[in-house]
Amino acid sequence: MSATQTNKEAEALMQSALQRQMHQDTVGAAQDYRRVLELDPRSTRAWYGLGVIDQQTGRTTNARAEFERALEIDPHFISALYSEATLLRSSDPERAIELMKRAVTEEPKTTAIRLQLGLLLAEKGRKSEAEEAFRGAVAVDPKLVAQVPEEYRDAVSR
């Protein structure tokens, strides 16, 4: 099979996996993602898709490994950074903070990640860093001030 044919087949399988996942067919989607990886072991989207499915179905160890694999291939993959951070939020908050900070560095206008980073930093008592994250989110979207914890609102409204 030529490289062009392989790429076309991998893309068709990727589209099938996304459709199946959208329709809650996680088994079929996972099969398609694995077939994509047989054709293209460096498909960050397939690794990420498997990670999402495993995260949704409670296989967090697998999910983390799949997100990590996607990040080994593309360290700037924001979705994988954020998903792994969310996965690690309670078990390894320091690693979650590190991943969210990387995601914010990659995409400074991602208000949702900035807001979640601020919340996690606030939970960990890192007030000045939390204020900075909340300020960044509100600077991009002033409507988010309502989602900032009350104790931080004055600091972000200045």
Side-chain angles (χ1 to χ4, degrees), residues 79-142:
S79 296
L81 287 166
Y82 182 70
S83 292
E84 185 173 357
T86 301
L87 185 71
L88 296 174
R89 187 178 181 124
S90 58
S91 65
D92 190 351
E94 291 305 316
R95 176 77 174 143
I97 289 168
E98 174 195 329
L99 292 165
M100 283 190 200
K101 284 183 174 183
R102 281 176 50 195
V104 167
T105 299
E106 291 300 322
E107 188 59 52
K109 297 203 183 286
T110 54
T111 56
I113 297 173
R114 281 182 181 272
L115 187 63
Q116 290 304 311
L117 174 60
L119 292 170
L120 184 53
L121 289 163
E123 285 173 21
K124 294 288 140 203
R126 293 164 63 173
K127 187 172 177 150
S128 63
E129 289 176 90
E131 286 175 0
E132 183 182 329
F134 290 137
R135 235 187 323 275
V138 171
V140 175
D141 184 356

Side-chain angles (χ1 to χ4, degrees), residues 2 8 30-31 35 55 60 72-73 76 86 89 91 106 112 116 127-128 135 143-145 148-149 151 153:
S2 74
K8 283 182 181 179
Q31 288 171 339
R35 289 177 54 211
Q55 185 173 14
T60 55
E72 286 170 15
I73 297 163
H76 310 288
T86 301
R89 187 178 181 124
S91 65
E106 291 300 322
Q116 290 304 311
K127 187 172 177 150
S128 63
R135 235 187 323 275
K143 290 178 266 177
L144 288 177
V145 76
V148 172
E151 68 183 276
R153 287 190 191 152

Side-chain angles (χ1 to χ4, degrees), residues 11-100:
E11 188 54 37
L13 285 165
M14 179 61 67
Q15 293 308 313
S16 173
L18 293 169
Q19 283 296 313
R20 286 176 175 212
Q21 197 167 1
M22 197 168 68
H23 291 97
Q24 312 303 311
D25 176 9
T26 55
V27 172
Q31 288 171 339
D32 284 348
Y33 286 132
R34 284 188 194 90
R35 289 177 54 211
V36 169
L37 291 169
E38 288 171 11
L39 297 168
D40 179 9
R42 296 186 53 79
S43 173
T44 56
R45 292 173 24 204
W47 284 114
Y48 175 73
L50 282 173
V52 168
I53 289 170
D54 281 336
Q55 185 173 14
Q56 291 170 338
T57 55
R59 292 186 301 266
T60 55
T61 302
N62 290 356
R64 182 165 186 204
E66 289 148 355
F67 293 144
E68 280 293 322
R69 184 68 181 114
L71 290 170
E72 286 170 15
I73 297 163
D74 179 2
H76 310 288
F77 190 1
I78 292 171
S79 296
L81 287 166
Y82 182 70
S83 292
E84 185 173 357
T86 301
L87 185 71
L88 296 174
R89 187 178 181 124
S90 58
S91 65
D92 190 351
E94 291 305 316
R95 176 77 174 143
I97 289 168
E98 174 195 329
L99 292 165
M100 283 190 200

